[in-house]
Amino acid sequence: MGFGGGAGLDDFAKRVVSLGGDEKTVYVAGSGPAVVVMPEMPGISPDVLRFAGWVRDAGFTVYVPSLFGVDGAYPTVELAEPILKRACVSKEFRAFAGGGTSPVAVWLRALARTAHDECGGPGVGAVGMCFTGNFALTMTLEPSVIAPVLGQPSLPLDDPAALELSSEDAAAIRERFERDGLTALGLRFDNDKWCTGQRFAAYTQLLGDRFDARVLPGECANPEPPPFFRDMVRTPHSVVTAHLVDEEGHPTVRARDEVLAFLRARLLPAPTTA
């Protein structure tokens, strides 16, 4: 499958979605089964939009909720630092160990229900990245979510071996994965200090072989990411966005293609033969 240059905000319909009394902006484009693409810190950057465009081009209706930051902004240190600080103390997010599941996950599950009602198909995909990485897993407590992708999940920030989950949600997720035969796809670089091997080991402990971990060598990450990633993240981190090298056959492009194949296998019905 060939891919174009991704997408910008103008390629999406801007909607204001009110669910459970909470209102957020959501950018929507494409056709086919729904995939919720959640932004990484510090927000819906051009790289996040590029990835969302690839998901759209793969045959899906993509929903990109605005959860923090300035939509469409280039991720600079000056912009990102206050956004990160606000998110860390926000009631919507549980950025540190012991906080349990982030409350924003409830709104995201409601968005998935709405997207499934609008788009149909066997279910909904959920792609989380960095700050939102684990939300793709907690969204599976919504029955319509059947294709979770965990891109370099970074929460909780202060405990590399912990998961951003309450014990009750963890047990319910494990039970659902076993009952419905779900699989979660995980992505990280091997030297990522924000999403370490300890975190992936914790996912494996929770889900067993239903957690499909893909670990890329950090040496293949884009060496010239935007300033926020260069100066604040300071490690290979964002596999399919800021640290992706958009060259045919590159390991990060192969990882992107594996994500799209994972979504297609679960969300796009196989063609029937006469």
Side-chain angles (χ1 to χ4, degrees), residues 139-160:
M139 285 175 69
T140 62
L141 293 174
E142 158 57 38
S144 67
V145 178
I146 61 174
V149 178
L150 286 64
Q152 64 278 348
S154 62
L155 300 187
L157 296 172
D158 57 340
D159 188 346

Side-chain angles (χ1 to χ4, degrees), residues 77-194:
V77 173
E78 293 76 15
L79 176 71
E81 193 168 17
I83 293 169
L84 177 58
K85 289 179 178 178
R86 284 196 298 271
C88 284
V89 299
S90 168
K91 293 180 180 179
E92 286 197 300
F93 304 101
R94 302 282 169 80
F96 301 105
T101 304
S102 288
V104 72
V106 175
W107 192 91
L108 290 166
R109 291 197 288 268
L111 176 63
R113 285 194 297 275
T114 297
H116 191 220
D117 289 343
E118 292 176 351
C119 300
V124 175
V127 182
M129 296 178 278
C130 178
F131 216 77
T132 66
N134 190 67
F135 298 169
L137 186 65
T138 55
M139 285 175 69
T140 62
L141 293 174
E142 158 57 38
S144 67
V145 178
I146 61 174
V149 178
L150 286 64
Q152 64 278 348
S154 62
L155 300 187
L157 296 172
D158 57 340
D159 188 346
L163 300 181
E164 184 251 355
L165 286 172
S166 68
S167 57
E168 295 81 7
D169 283 352
I173 289 167
R174 181 189 299 112
E175 193 276 333
R176 195 205 162 186
F177 269 62
E178 294 174 352
R179 181 185 70 242
D180 295 344
L182 298 189
T183 300
L185 180 64
L187 303 171
R188 61 177 289 268
F189 288 108
D190 60 6
N191 59 346
D192 185 350
K193 69 179 182 180
W194 300 106

Side-chain angles (χ1 to χ4, degrees), residues 216-234:
L216 283 71
E219 63 190 23
C220 74
N222 176 14
E224 298 181 1
F228 168 73
F229 295 91
R230 182 192 65 215
D231 298 333
M232 290 190 69
V233 176
R234 297 182 180 178

